Amino acid sequence: MDRVYNFAPGPSTLPLPVLEKVQRDLLCYGSTGMSVMEMSHRSKMYLEIFDRAVADLKALMAVPEGYKIMFVQGGATAMFSAVAMNLMNGGKADYIDSGNFAHNALVEAQKYGEVVVAGSSREDGYGYIPDYTLSPDAQYLHITTNNTIYGTRYTSIPNTNGVPLVADMSSNILSEVYDVSRFGVIYAGAQKNVAPAGVVILIVREDLMGHELPITPKVMSFKKMADADSMLNTPNCFGIYVAGLTFQWLLEQGGVAAIEKLNIEKAKLLYDCIDESELFKGTACERDRSRMNVTFVTGDPQKDAQFVKEAAARGLCNLKGHRIVGGMRASIYNAMPIEGVRALVSFMKEFEAKNK
């Protein structure tokens, strides 16, 4: 069977060259005589894979000195608690409530200190990035740079006046250029833009480590995990290996700046189709539209379901919107080729012609 265009929000499509390399190496990695899945995480052969992944990610994101890159487990959901336990220090923190996962993060943080909702678009269905008012005495500000379910993104990063900025970049990491020096902590589940589920990219400014609450589990302590080079417990060896291959693929494409240009082009193709349509309508505020997750509806739930079904029959899969929102959602992460977006636009125009 031919491969389909997979518009799933996560786990999602991976670059074809990465999958082909995994396939070639699955039974025997290089001359090791074994699969990466069978290697000791402390063996020389695996540490070479691990160290290259760290070095390539540092290069891709231009991570400055004074930051530690880690690969941890538990998903971004575990980081909701870990951030608060490591940084709140019995004080308070600002959270901007811009979507489902942003909200879940602040709910978890409430267990460990005072959470101030600096801004929220919850009552308006998270259709835009809200305005916000920051607390000068907050321990940190938490944002979610791209809201997967609702299809919104921050088009500019808040100026925190020295307060550490924490960002959940799970659904847009490595898709656009960020100045890492503006952040205290960056974390991202890998299953949308990087690797299979089970790996979390964690980048922490070193001066923010070592202040965790006494109740913090050791595998969630930024300092202890950093001191152990991500190997306080057995890491997700295979997932980190795939992440490393994705980093190599991105470097071959010209890095993050090059892939950002392509992402802008892909998103414009799809949004132009929506904006020019008499049938389809975008659900996110135009100024805050995500480049990764494009959400749209026909206005008729039955017609939405028909569209999703017929698209799947054409090899355009996983276009059903999140159950909270409904409608359609096309996730066009780094690995989605522009040909996939063109195929979707072509089908949308064909569907509209038949269903006016």
Side-chain angles (χ1 to χ4, degrees):
M1 180 179 178
D2 293 334
R3 282 179 58 81
V4 300
Y5 290 120
N6 178 14
F7 294 93
S12 54
T13 191
L14 287 168
L16 186 57
V18 169
L19 293 174
E20 290 171 338
K21 182 75 165 68
V22 170
Q23 184 182 48
R24 289 194 300 271
D25 290 348
L26 189 61
L27 292 180
C28 180
Y29 177 79
S31 60
T32 65
M34 67 182 76
S35 171
V36 174
M37 288 186 284
E38 301 170 297
M39 291 179 184
S40 165
H41 60 294
R42 300 195 183 279
S43 66
K44 181 177 182 294
M45 64 187 84
Y46 183 72
L47 289 176
E48 289 175 355
I49 294 171
F50 182 91
D51 290 344
R52 179 170 181 182
V54 171
D56 286 347
L57 179 59
K58 183 175 182 178
L60 281 166
M61 295 188 69
V63 178
E65 295 302 313
Y67 284 77
K68 183 71 175 181
I69 294 173
M70 293 167 273
F71 297 114
V72 298
Q73 299 178 69
T77 300
M79 293 299 100
F80 296 164
S81 296
V83 164
M85 286 190 285
N86 281 271
L87 302 184
M88 199 175 283
N89 199 22
K92 69 180 180 181
D94 284 344
Y95 278 71
I96 299 178
D97 187 5
S98 60
N100 181 69
F101 296 110
H103 186 79
N104 289 347
L106 74 87
V107 169
E108 282 297 301
Q110 289 171 342
K111 300 174 182 177
Y112 308 104
E114 180 186 353
V115 168
V116 177
V117 179
S120 177
S121 53
R122 184 174 175 83
E123 291 187 0
D124 294 323
Y126 292 130
Y128 58 91
I129 300 297
D131 294 329
Y132 47 85
T133 303
L134 304 183
S135 308
D137 57 343
Q139 297 290 92
Y140 62 89
L141 166 67
H142 182 282
I143 65 171
T144 304
T145 51
N146 186 83
N147 296 284
T148 318
I149 292 175
Y150 298 91
T152 62
R153 64 181 279 270
Y154 280 77
T155 55
S156 62
I157 298 303
N159 180 0
T160 63
N161 294 315
V163 173
L165 178 60
V166 178
D168 176 358
M169 292 190 182
S170 292
S171 54
N172 75 330
I173 193 167
L174 297 171
S175 72
E176 60 182 285
V177 175
Y178 284 108
D179 179 356
V180 174
S181 68
R182 295 188 62 185
F183 299 86
V185 176
I186 292 170
Y187 66 92
Q191 69 272 17
K192 300 177 186 294
N193 239 342
V194 178
V199 181
V200 177
I201 293 168
L202 177 61
I203 304 172
V204 183
R205 205 174 72 207
E206 292 176 4
D207 66 293
L208 297 176
M209 297 179 185
H211 311 293
E212 67 268 28
L213 296 175
I215 63 168
T216 305
K218 65 179 183 179
V219 294
M220 298 176 79
S221 162
F222 294 165
K223 180 69 165 59
K224 291 176 181 176
M225 191 60 80
D227 288 346
D229 287 328
S230 304
M231 295 189 185
L232 195 61
N233 61 339
T234 306
N236 184 335
C237 296
F238 190 75
I240 295 168
Y241 152 71
V242 178
L245 294 180
T246 300
F247 301 155
Q248 292 171 36
W249 174 80
L250 275 169
L251 288 167
E252 290 166 2
Q253 308 311 302
V256 177
I259 209 74
E260 180 177 14
K261 290 180 181 178
L262 181 59
N263 288 331
I264 291 170
E265 184 180 355
K266 290 189 299 185
K268 185 177 187 304
L269 272 173
L270 192 44
Y271 283 121
D272 282 352
C273 176
I274 292 168
D275 291 343
E276 292 164 6
S277 169
E278 295 179 3
L279 177 64
F280 300 106
K281 180 182 179 182
T283 61
C285 173
E286 188 170 347
R287 72 168 195 226
D288 297 328
R289 283 172 164 175
S290 169
R291 296 174 184 161
M292 298 285 97
N293 311 101
V294 179
T295 53
F296 56 101
V297 296
T298 66
D300 179 348
Q302 289 185 332
K303 198 165 285 185
D304 290 348
Q306 179 187 352
F307 175 86
V308 171
K309 182 179 179 180
E310 292 185 13
R314 297 280 288 271
L316 305 166
C317 296
N318 295 310
L319 284 164
K320 184 178 180 180
H322 192 278
R323 62 184 180 278
I324 296 175
V325 179
M328 283 75 69
R329 171 176 52 176
S331 295
I332 51 175
Y333 300 122
N334 286 348
M336 173 58 65
I338 195 166
E339 292 80 10
V341 179
R342 288 176 179 146
L344 174 57
V345 166
S346 177
F347 175 71
M348 290 171 68
K349 291 178 178 178
E350 179 184 319
F351 184 87
E352 178 169 359
K354 294 178 180 178
N355 293 275
K356 283 185 176 179

